[in-house]
Amino acid sequence: MTTGSELPADEILDRARLVEASGGIEGFAEELVSLFLDDAGPRLAAMRAAAEGGNPEGVWREAHTLKGSAATIGAARASETSRILEMAARSGDLS
């Protein structure tokens, strides 16, 4: 089964995209993923706080950043989920 990202349902990262993002430099792909993971937790917490505080602009900003970061490392489903949250926040829907 595939998703809209054309990855198998159990695959989290598009490894080809990750290698492309790292320029094929040995060890850099792992560093990119590590940086993404270090950044994602605080961004998700900030997004949650913004949603709980009724701040669609804050949700939009964090979702937008996560969308781009996830796409860069090949995390297509995370990027797509962030895009959906971004669009909801842009429309003011925090439900």
Side-chain angles (χ1 to χ4, degrees):
M1 177 180 170
T2 61
T3 64
S5 64
E6 299 306 317
L7 294 175
D10 61 345
E11 191 169 325
I12 295 171
L13 288 176
D14 177 345
R15 294 186 187 279
R17 175 67 195 115
L18 181 57
V19 168
E20 179 184 320
S22 69
I25 299 169
E26 190 171 329
F28 190 49
E30 292 82 6
E31 186 175 338
L32 285 175
V33 171
S34 180
L35 289 169
F36 172 78
L37 293 173
D38 288 347
D39 186 60
R43 291 208 179 273
L44 289 168
M47 192 184 321
R48 181 183 191 127
E52 289 173 350
N55 177 2
E57 175 66 26
V59 173
W60 177 87
R61 184 178 48 253
E62 300 302 335
H64 179 77
T65 301
L66 279 172
K67 176 185 75 172
S69 298
T72 296
I73 66 163
R77 283 191 294 282
S79 182
E80 176 62 10
T81 300
S82 296
R83 185 191 71 77
I84 291 166
L85 291 168
E86 178 187 30
M87 298 301 287
R90 177 163 278 171
S91 74
D93 181 8
L94 298 180
S95 59

